Amino acid sequence: MKKSSQGRERHRGEAIIGRAFRRSLLVIGVAVAAGILIYLRLQPGEHSRPVAEKTVTVPAPAEKTAARQAPPLHFSNITRDAGIDFVHVNGAYGERLMPETMGSGAAFLDYDNDGDPDLFLVNSRYWPDHPGGHTPTQALYRNDGNGHFTDVTEAAGLAVEAWGMGVAVGDYDGDGRVDLFLSTLGANHLFHNEGGTFREVSAEAGVAGERDRWSSGAAFFDYDGDGDLDLFVLNYVDWSRKMDLGIDFRLAGLGRAYGAPNHFPGTDSYLYRNDGNGRFSEVSASAGIQVHDPESGRPVGKGLGVVPVDYDGDGWIDIAVANDTSRNFLFHNLGNGRFEEVGAFEGLAWDRNGKATGGMGIDAAHYRNDRDLGIVIGNFANEMSSLFVTVDGQPPFADEAVLEGIGPASRLALTFGVLFLDADLDGRPDLLQANGHLEHEINRVQASQHYAQPPQLFWNCGNDCKGQFVLASEVGDLSQPLVGRALACADIDGDGDLDLLISQNGRAPALLRNDRDNGNHWLRLRLHGRGANRDAIGARVQLVAGGVTQYRQVMPARSYLSQIELPLTFGLGPSRQVERLHITWPDGQQQVVEVDRVDTVLDVEQPEAGS
C-alpha cells in the first residue's frame, strides 16, 4: 500500500530529528565547505569547470571514525594478457569540446549464452573535420571462460562507428538472447541478438531518439509490471559545437578549457514502453519523467547515471538519477504507468549543504545488510561523494557520506563510476570508485589535482565498527592512477570472486583480476524467469548465512554508463552453508530455495504459477 503524504511527512520529521545530533557535529566543517563549494563550477570567460584549489578539513564525528584497518585486497591488471587491445578514441584535437571528456561505457554480458561474461566496450570517434588515421568502432570481446578474451566485433556485427557514450543490456523480446542498446551523441542504436550476431533495429523499434540529443546512461527494466523490459534513456545537456566555442571557457594558466554543464540548458530523457511486438512507444511526457523549471519552463535534467531500484519497498521499481550540476531526481513509480519526481521530498536532490553537485555515477545497495537502502553518487572534484541512506528501511534519505567514512577521503577525487560489490566475499558490500579528471594539465594550476587518479576501494568493516567504510590501501594494481570513467564487475574466470573493468577516457581500459586468497566462501545465483523477462531483471533476493541477511536485486544497470553481469554474487565469509534463500520474482511470486552446497553457481528456474 502506498504511504500517504501525511505519513511520509511524519516519518520525515522523525528521521530529521533522529539525525540532528550527529549532523550538529559537522556544522563547522560543513559551513567552511559550503563557502568553498560556491565556486565548484567556474564561469565562462576567465573561468572553467575546474575549481581553484582550497584546503578544507571536514572531520568525521568521533563516534563514526573507523577503528579497523582494511585487509589486503589485491587486484592484478591483466588487460593485455587477457587479450584486450582496445583503446578509447575521444576525438580530442585542441578545441577542447565537452563531449571529448565524458566517455565511455562498458558492459559485461553473456551474448553467446555459454555461461561466462563477455565484454562490450563503447568507443567514440573523431570529429568529421579532424579525422584520425583509422576508423574507431565499438568492440565486443568473447570470453573463453577462463578470463581470456577474443575480439569478435566484426563477426558479431558491432563494428559500428558512433560517438558512443553508454550501454544497456537486456533481452527485450524474451527470445533468450541478451540484446544491446548503445547511447550516443546523436542517434542511438538498438542491436538485436540473433544468436551470436547482432542486427541493428533502432529505427523499426522506435528507440533511435533525436539526432541532436546527447544521450548517456540507460537501463532496461519493467516499469509497468506487464512482464517485458522497457527502456529508460538519460539525456545530458543541450550541446552543440557552436554553443561550446561561443561560451569560450578558459582556465587561468591553461587558456581554452573544457566547459561546465551549468552553462548549457538541461534536457528531457526518454522512457520507452515495450509494446511486446519488437517496438517501443516513447511515453516520457505521459509517464511524468519530464521535469521542467516552473518559471522558465525549461528542462531541468542533466542526467549521467541511472539506477532502477524499489527504494520504498512497494513492489514497483523506481528510478534514481544522478544529474550534473542540477538536482538529482528520484522518480517514484505510482504503479499506474506514471512516475512522480520526489527527489527533494525524499532527501536525494541535494547534498548535505543543500546544493546540487556534479553527479556522475550512481549505485544502490543494502550495504549494512539490513533494511536501510544506500544510494551513492560520485561527484566532481572538491565535492565529496554523496551517500544517501534511509532510516529504519524507509525514506526520507539523508547524506551520511561523512558519518560512514567516505566523505573526506573522496573530496579531492573527480569520481565517475561508483559500484557496490563484495570484493573480499566477507558478506558485506564494499564501495569502489573510478576517478579521473577532465583536464590533462590540471596539475599545473591545482597542485592537489591530477588528470589520472587512482580508484578508491572502501572496505566495508561492518556494523560493529565505528564507521562503516575504511579506505583500503593494499589493493595491488588497483592503486594505479587511471583516467577512470565506466566501472563494471563480473567473475571473468569462474573462481567465485568479482573482477573489475574500468574504462579510461582516451586510453586503454583496465581489466583487473581479483586475486582474493582469504578462503571466504561464496554463492553465485543465476535466475531464469518465466515469460518475456527471461533474465528476471528486477527480482529481489534475500540470503541468510551465519545469521546475517543479505539483500540483492537483479539489475545490471549500475555505476556510470555501465552494465554489470547478471548473476548475483553473495560472499559468505567463513560460513559453509546457506540457511535460507528467498526470491521475490519480478511479478511478485515468492520462492524459497534449498541450497545444499556453497562455492558454486546455482541456477534457479522460476516455478510455474501456483506450484
Side-chain angles (χ1 to χ4, degrees):
M1 180 178 296
K2 303 288 183 182
K3 295 181 288 292
S4 66
S5 297
Q6 182 178 4
R8 282 176 179 258
E9 287 289 0
R10 181 166 55 253
H11 188 84
R12 180 182 178 87
E14 293 170 352
I16 291 173
I17 292 172
R19 288 184 166 105
F21 176 72
R22 286 183 294 169
R23 286 186 169 187
S24 68
L25 298 174
L26 301 177
V27 168
I28 296 176
V30 166
V32 174
I36 293 170
L37 293 174
I38 292 174
Y39 293 99
L40 282 177
R41 292 291 189 254
L42 301 181
Q43 305 301 312
E46 291 299 318
H47 303 287
S48 182
R49 185 169 181 164
V51 299
E53 181 180 357
K54 304 282 184 179
T55 300
V56 183
T57 301
V58 184
E63 76 273 22
K64 295 293 287 184
T65 301
R68 295 176 60 185
Q69 295 294 315
L73 301 165
H74 193 273
F75 290 82
S76 296
N77 190 326
I78 61 168
T79 311
R80 281 287 180 180
D81 291 341
I84 306 295
D85 57 1
F86 175 89
V87 178
H88 176 252
V89 171
N90 62 16
Y93 63 93
E95 286 192 335
R96 303 206 179 199
L97 301 174
M98 190 176 174
E100 298 165 2
T101 67
M102 304 304 292
S104 62
F108 282 111
L109 72 163
D110 184 5
Y111 87 98
D112 52 2
N113 283 344
D114 63 356
D116 51 53
D118 309 300
L119 177 61
F120 180 78
L121 295 170
V122 178
N123 211 347
S124 300
R125 62 187 300 178
Y126 297 103
W127 296 106
D129 53 347
H130 285 81
H134 69 289
T135 300
T137 71
Q138 318 311 308
L140 179 67
Y141 289 87
R142 186 183 64 232
N143 188 348
D144 67 359
N146 297 311
H148 188 273
F149 294 82
T150 302
D151 188 339
V152 295
T153 310
E154 289 280 353
L158 291 174
V160 176
E161 183 182 13
W163 197 285
M165 281 288 291
V167 56
V169 295
D171 179 6
Y172 73 86
D173 59 350
D175 65 357
R177 298 185 293 264
V178 66
D179 308 301
L180 190 151
F181 177 83
L182 173 68
S183 66
T184 77
L185 175 64
N188 298 320
H189 302 267
L190 177 63
F191 300 97
H192 181 255
N193 189 336
E194 316 231 306
T197 61
F198 291 84
R199 176 173 63 91
E200 177 157 4
V201 295
S202 313
E204 61 191 80
V207 296
E210 301 169 69
R211 292 185 176 276
D212 61 350
R213 287 289 181 93
W214 182 354
S215 296
S216 52
F220 281 105
F221 69 102
D222 182 8
Y223 84 90
D224 53 3
D226 64 354
D228 53 29
L229 297 179
D230 310 295
L231 176 62
F232 180 76
V233 183
L234 286 172
N235 287 313
Y236 190 34
V237 295
D238 183 4
W239 179 90
S240 71
R241 180 176 177 179
K242 181 178 180 181
M243 293 168 62
D244 199 325
L245 294 175
I247 296 174
D248 194 23
F249 299 96
R250 293 190 175 273
L251 185 64
L254 292 183
R256 170 74 181 172
Y258 286 111
N262 56 335
H263 299 295
F264 295 93
T267 57
D268 288 322
S269 295
Y270 303 127
L271 178 62
Y272 295 103
R273 185 188 65 225
N274 192 334
D275 295 332
N277 55 2
R279 289 192 54 81
F280 293 78
S281 295
E282 206 277 307
V283 296
S284 307
S286 61
I289 68 158
Q290 294 185 352
V291 182
H292 294 176
D293 182 90
E295 295 184 2
S296 68
R298 295 178 178 177
V300 174
K302 300 179 181 180
L304 287 174
V306 55
V307 60
V309 59
D310 180 8
Y311 78 92
D312 58 353
D314 64 357
W316 295 94
I317 298 181
D318 312 296
I319 308 172
V321 173
N323 282 314
D324 192 358
T325 71
S326 63
R327 60 184 172 90
N328 301 314
F329 293 155
L330 181 59
F331 293 104
H332 179 229
N333 192 332
L334 301 177
N336 59 1
R338 288 186 52 80
F339 292 84
E340 178 186 14
E341 204 287 296
V342 296
F345 184 80
E346 299 288 32
L348 196 74
W350 298 288
D351 69 1
R352 64 187 61 79
N353 304 311
K355 293 181 61 64
T357 59
M360 309 292 187
I362 186 170
D363 197 12
H366 293 271
Y367 66 89
R368 295 172 179 162
N369 288 337
D370 60 15
R371 293 286 182 179
D372 279 326
L373 179 70
I375 296 180
V376 63
I377 295 178
N379 293 317
F380 201 76
N382 289 326
E383 295 175 336
M384 300 178 191
S385 294
S386 301
L387 180 57
F388 299 99
V389 189
T390 61
V391 61
D392 297 329
Q394 294 294 323
F397 293 84
D399 190 347
E400 304 282 8
V402 173
L403 300 175
E404 294 289 52
I406 70 170
S410 65
R411 184 183 66 83
L412 287 179
L414 201 171
T415 300
F416 280 86
V418 290
L419 192 62
F420 287 109
L421 76 160
D422 188 354
D424 58 348
L425 300 181
D426 65 355
R428 299 185 297 265
D430 309 301
L431 174 62
L432 179 63
Q433 300 194 152
N435 306 317
H437 213 284
L438 310 182
E439 297 284 354
H440 292 72
E441 301 171 296
I442 189 64
N443 185 248
R444 289 175 49 191
V445 293
Q446 295 180 27
S448 67
Q449 289 295 316
H450 299 271
Y451 183 53
Q453 302 177 4
Q456 293 172 301
L457 178 58
F458 292 91
W459 177 65
N460 188 335
C461 67
N463 296 329
D464 58 340
C465 292
K466 295 181 179 180
Q468 195 76 26
F469 292 102
V470 179
L471 182 61
S473 57
E474 296 184 56
V475 291
D477 290 341
L478 190 58
S479 64
Q480 296 174 345
L482 303 171
V483 187
R485 295 297 186 261
L487 171 58
C489 66
D491 179 10
I492 64 171
D493 48 10
D495 64 355
D497 54 33
L498 291 171
D499 310 293
L500 306 172
L501 189 286
I502 301 177
S503 75
Q504 294 198 81
N505 183 267
R507 299 183 178 185
L511 182 65
L512 295 146
R513 186 188 61 218
N514 189 334
D515 293 329
R516 174 193 61 90
D517 62 356
N518 56 14
N520 284 338
H521 298 286
W522 50 273
L523 180 71
R524 284 171 51 78
L525 190 64
R526 277 195 299 247
L527 300 186
H528 306 277
R530 289 187 289 105
N533 186 2
R534 299 282 295 273
D535 293 317
I537 289 177
R540 290 168 291 160
V541 180
Q542 296 178 28
L543 179 145
V544 182
V548 176
T549 302
Q550 300 182 48
Y551 302 82
R552 298 284 192 278
Q553 180 186 34
V554 180
M555 188 56 65
R558 314 276 285 278
S559 188
Y560 176 77
L561 309 179
S562 309
Q563 304 278 292
I564 68 168
E565 64 173 355
L566 279 165
L568 300 176
T569 296
F570 292 89
L572 306 178
S575 298
R576 295 177 177 273
Q577 65 180 15
V578 171
E579 296 151 29
R580 190 170 189 268
L581 181 65
H582 181 272
I583 302 170
T584 302
W585 294 91
D587 61 4
Q589 184 181 11
Q590 307 291 311
Q591 182 182 8
V592 176
V593 178
E594 294 293 330
V595 180
D596 58 8
R597 60 193 180 103
V598 299
D599 299 334
T600 189
V601 180
L602 180 63
D603 285 274
V604 180
E605 299 279 346
Q606 182 178 6
E608 294 294 330
S611 61

